[in-house]
Amino acid sequence: MEGEPPSSNTTHATLLVVIVCCSIIRILQNRRGSCPRRPIGLIPLRPDGAIIIVKQPTPPPPPRSPDGARTALPSPAMSSPSSAHWLSLVGTIWLQTINGPNSDFPVYSSQLKELKGISQVQLNFLAFASDAGKLFGWFSGVAALYVPLPLVAFVGASFGLVGYGVQYLFLDSPALKCWHLFLLTALAGNGICWINTVCYLLCIKNFASRSRVAVSLATSYLGLSAKVYTSLAETMPRLADSKAKTYLLLNAMVPMIVTVFVAPALRLFDLKSDSMASTDTAFLVMFAITLATGACAVVGSIGSTASGLSSREHMVSLSVLLAVPMLIPAALKIRESMNKIWEAKRENRIHDLGTDDAVVVIEVMDLETKEEEIVVAEENPQEEIGGLQLLKKPDFWLYFFSYMFSGTLGLVFLNNLGQIAESRGLGQTSTLVSLSSSFGFFGRLLPSFMDYYSAKSGHSISRTGSMASLMAPMACAFFLLLNPGSVFLYASTAIIGTCTGAITSVAVSATSELFGAKNFGVNHNVLVSNIPVGSLCFGYFSAFLYQREAGARGAATCAGASCYQATFAIWGATCVVGTLLCVVLYVRSRSFAGRLPVRLQWLSRVANFLGARQKA
């Protein structure tokens, strides 16, 4: 509020930045002694383990150039991920943060319905339009095979600019019909697939040994999209003359601005420079930053209503926390420069030794690299599947329908959240959307924590098993919505947002686990075509029941908990079916979907029981 001292949120964000800086400085101090060194000899080992010291003459000095100066030897290759690797991850995180412009549709859907004079069924078709664009998302996977990734991302942002920009310019015009809105929104929805393809490929190929962690970490920020857009709209309420036009303008401009800004960082690098040990500390720092960002988002969703804090202050805090990850590639760049200077001084000292001196040479075998190669090899599936072969696999259809009956169903619920809140008499629709976005962020982040710590303990978590475990509480949340209380609406929204986000994040790794990473760009976009199919079926059915209930009361709109009561019961039963399908998929795929022990004991017991029944 004006005239009052700044909120403590900004102070907390500043303290967090200081803590992160201290942590990164600690990384530099601890890692300096572990930089790679040029091997200058070999150490044979006796059977009893003793080291045999071998003396060799000092290597000759480097050759002299024609002018008499010594030629410098080439510097050794770095074994840790370069700053460019982490810069690409930071760029991916920023792209994911703004790559959900369709997630703010529930906030302005009611106003759009009144402005264009459309029915509930037509409004659900518009909510489905963004998902309809994903039917052609596989084009982005094909394009990524032949076109540079920055250009792929730019194409996706351009689709969003045209799709939402034209709606912003002509929303008040009677000439802009409902089917125009549908086609423009579908174009923008297809653009989301192009940007997602770039982000997934960067995480998988630039962080081979930690691809699951990198993918889950980056995609978790997609859950913040609705929160970012609602905060921007509340911070700049006079950006347009109506709420709907404000969101349409932000949806058009923000993705293009961010894509142009991060385009130079969207590059692929050599896999050999990825070292598992050197990424651990950096990932821990990234986890701390991500948790702080999620906490800030939750405070902005819940605390603003309870304490009356300014949206502008929350937006400033969130912006600072989104910028903090840039400190990681900056710190790594400083470390690389320090290592080069240290290596140059070390080589100069070696070259200055006399040729008659003997040098005691000791080399320690780096077993960690070999262990990393084994782990990477173990994560690769047995078979690479793509093209029409994918559609002939029973596992694909089990995966397709289990995803549609869970993750897609959750997305349909979130798309209808504005109408659900309005039917129950809740005026703060943006608060409910921000709540689902914030918990969706934590849901997307959860798999990265599980992957990171399970890998450290020598275990691997089955992706299909994880999805089945997440579908069960989601089904319970739909049945909780049958209670008309507002508390149950908020609790169920948090549960569904968390599980939907987690399933969406896990599905990225599950696709490469089941069908291979070679054709991932095409395979995953074929899989997510279930989203428009499910969105059309579930969305249209819920709109039909809503319209029927409103017609029975002789009104254009429906009010009361009974408007969606039958819908929630059917959605809950559908989610139970999806859970059973995913358990069957886990039974079929557990023999090859991970080489290490799987840490899902209850699901393993169910799988063993079903396997024994099949053999009998």
Side-chain angles (χ1 to χ4, degrees), residues 129 158 344 526 550 570:
S158 300
V526 171
I570 295 172

Side-chain angles (χ1 to χ4, degrees), residues 26-35 277-278 280-281 335:
R26 184 69 178 271
I27 295 173
L28 295 175
Q29 295 174 344
N30 293 341
R31 293 292 182 186
R32 179 172 179 178
S34 61
C35 62
S278 62
D280 285 348
T281 307
R335 193 188 75 175

